[in-house]
Amino acid sequence: MVTKECLFCKIIKKEIPSKAEYEDDEMLAFDDVNPQAPTHILIIPKKHIEQVADISETDAEIVGKLVLIARKLAAKRKLEKGYRLVFNNGPHAGQAVYHLHLHLLGGRKFVWPPG
Ligand code: AMP
Ligand code: ZN
């Protein structure tokens, strides 16, 4: 299901341009427009799920694929020294776009705990 008003649904429909890193029938990965690291890729399902809190049991395969695509893109980018995968869920986590997305960040050292 693709929602008309959703920014990432518009990217899926190519109504808004993006720099694609991976695409198949179910999934899309593209460069973040405001990168926070040398590699900053967003991996999204084409199914419109608003946030982690809305993932259902039947979405388990989709969520697994998000992580597998992230792992493959990290290998392609040769992020051997490490990378960070992030799901922001809700306002306290700073979620800005309410279409499920996994951030793949790499190419620099990150601090822990995060801000
Ligand atoms: P979040 O805060 O987890 O909801 O992250 C949303 C991310 O989407 C941010 O890192 C933004 O920079 C990114 N973003 C917003 N608009 C676009 C766009 N048109 N193309 C690519 N990335 C975008
Ligand atoms: Zn959407």
Side-chain angles (χ1 to χ4, degrees):
M1 192 249 286
V2 171
T3 302
K4 209 177 166 193
E5 302 78 23
C6 169
L7 178 67
F8 286 177
C9 284
K10 286 181 178 167
I11 286 178
I12 291 163
K13 289 186 285 181
K14 320 282 188 212
E15 290 174 11
I16 292 174
S18 71
K19 166 84 173 58
E21 298 287 350
Y22 174 85
E23 182 164 17
D24 65 26
D25 289 348
E26 283 181 305
M27 317 293 288
L28 177 67
F30 54 95
D31 289 343
D32 196 294
V33 77
N34 182 23
Q36 301 302 312
T39 290
H40 189 172
I41 299 172
L42 302 174
I43 304 116
I44 69 172
K46 291 188 175 176
K47 177 181 177 184
H48 179 85
I49 300 169
E50 292 208 342
Q51 56 183 342
V52 170
D54 297 317
I55 294 169
S56 67
E57 300 289 336
T58 53
D59 296 322
E61 197 176 328
I62 286 177
V63 179
K65 282 182 183 172
L66 287 177
V67 179
L68 286 171
I69 292 165
R71 188 259 286 166
K72 286 176 191 164
L73 289 171
K76 194 175 165 190
R77 290 287 179 101
K78 304 191 189 312
L79 302 176
E80 295 100 348
K81 287 186 173 171
Y83 50 90
R84 186 165 287 179
L85 301 181
V86 176
F87 286 107
N88 290 321
N89 186 91
H92 272 196
Q95 186 176 0
V97 179
Y98 280 75
H99 181 124
L100 186 69
H101 51 281
L102 177 59
H103 294 257
L104 165 62
L105 296 141
R108 69 170 172 87
K109 198 171 189 298
F110 300 103
V111 294
W112 192 265

